[in-house]
Amino acid sequence: MTDQPQSPLGVAVVPVTPFQQNCSIIWCTRTKQAVIVDPGGDVGVIQGALKEIGVTPAAIWLTHGHLDHAGGATELAEKLSIPIIGPHEADKFLLDDLPKSGLRFDILDMKAVTPSRWLVEGDEISVGDVSFSVQHVPGHTPGHITFFQKDLRFLLAGDTVFAGSVGRTDFPYGSHETLIAGIKSKLVPLGDDVQFLPGHGPASTLGEERQNNPFLQG
């Protein structure tokens, strides 16, 4: 009996904050280099997970600027001495406002986030040997982005599409029409076989959501 070949990418989900946001640690299995995607809080828990997995953190990637996704980014970046990459610059106002946003939820020490690099549609970023392409999918927030690994058919979707739902748009800067248009034009065409990890709740496939998600019909 032969061993199954190891996937080039490891993925671990670390639910953080009272919002149970799917912070994820993804790593290149050859180099053991890792990135932390959307560290919204519970920085000690994330650090413990990194140690348990046994990987070397190289960067933080952000899908968007909401506190449950970005609230722990600066603290974690400072503790690990790693850069923050993303989201799109249109979310700068949200990242600047994180200390005030935190106060609304009785979080007294949330820090504003200044990324080392903003991302735009079509950018490529890598963890070890594994590269991801960037899609700009606004609507939930103006600067929301997703990360797609074409060869492994894997998408980090943030708060764009969920299993059976889509991201909230009832913010002054939100737009349901823009979000749905972005999901249909940029994410669904990636392929029915693409498995995605959303910002909240279980993973799904784009095919399942294309066929059955009530927000994507018509």
Side-chain angles (χ1 to χ4, degrees):
M1 196 172 99
T2 57
D3 290 335
Q4 289 290 326
Q6 185 181 39
S7 171
L9 187 73
V11 181
V13 177
V14 185
V16 296
T17 79
F19 298 96
Q20 287 296 286
Q21 194 276 123
N22 289 333
C23 170
S24 57
I25 298 168
I26 63 172
W27 67 94
C28 168
T29 53
R30 188 187 73 81
T31 65
K32 302 296 187 188
Q33 272 207 332
V35 297
I36 304 98
V37 183
D38 289 352
D42 299 330
V43 167
V45 174
I46 297 169
Q47 287 183 283
L50 287 163
K51 188 174 182 181
E52 186 177 333
I53 298 165
V55 289
T56 303
I60 291 165
W61 296 354
L62 297 179
T63 62
H64 64 292
H66 281 161
L67 83 166
D68 55 325
H69 292 254
T74 294
E75 180 185 351
L76 187 63
E78 290 172 350
K79 287 187 173 181
L80 299 177
S81 299
I82 56 176
I84 299 170
I85 299 173
H88 186 284
E89 194 170 7
D91 269 12
K92 182 179 186 298
F93 74 103
L94 291 168
L95 296 174
D96 290 344
D97 200 46
L98 282 172
K100 287 183 183 176
S101 299
L103 290 175
R104 289 197 284 273
F105 294 93
D106 297 321
I107 304 169
L108 305 179
D109 54 355
M110 190 169 286
K111 296 180 178 180
V113 171
T114 303
S116 302
R117 175 186 171 192
W118 301 107
L119 294 172
V120 298
E121 175 86 22
D123 277 348
E124 296 257 343
I125 52 174
S126 299
V127 52
D129 300 334
V130 185
S131 65
F132 285 74
S133 62
V134 173
Q135 300 76 41
H136 180 208
V137 188
H140 179 66
T141 69
H144 197 301
I145 57 173
T146 60
F147 303 103
F148 177 53
Q149 214 303 316
K150 182 178 180 180
D151 297 330
L152 301 174
R153 317 304 292 153
F154 177 64
L155 175 71
L156 291 157
D159 286 0
T160 55
V161 61
F162 300 116
S165 189
V166 296
R168 286 177 56 185
T169 54
D170 56 340
F171 310 106
Y173 47 80
S175 168
H176 183 76
E177 293 75 16
T178 300
L179 176 61
I180 298 302
I183 294 170
K184 287 184 173 182
S185 67
K186 294 185 180 181
L187 301 186
V188 169
L190 297 175
D192 282 357
D193 62 328
V194 171
Q195 184 173 41
F196 71 88
L197 179 65
H200 306 266
S204 183
T205 65
L206 291 176
E208 170 67 24
E209 300 314 307
R210 180 183 63 78
Q211 295 169 32
N212 297 312
N213 190 314
F215 293 94
L216 301 182
Q217 306 311 307

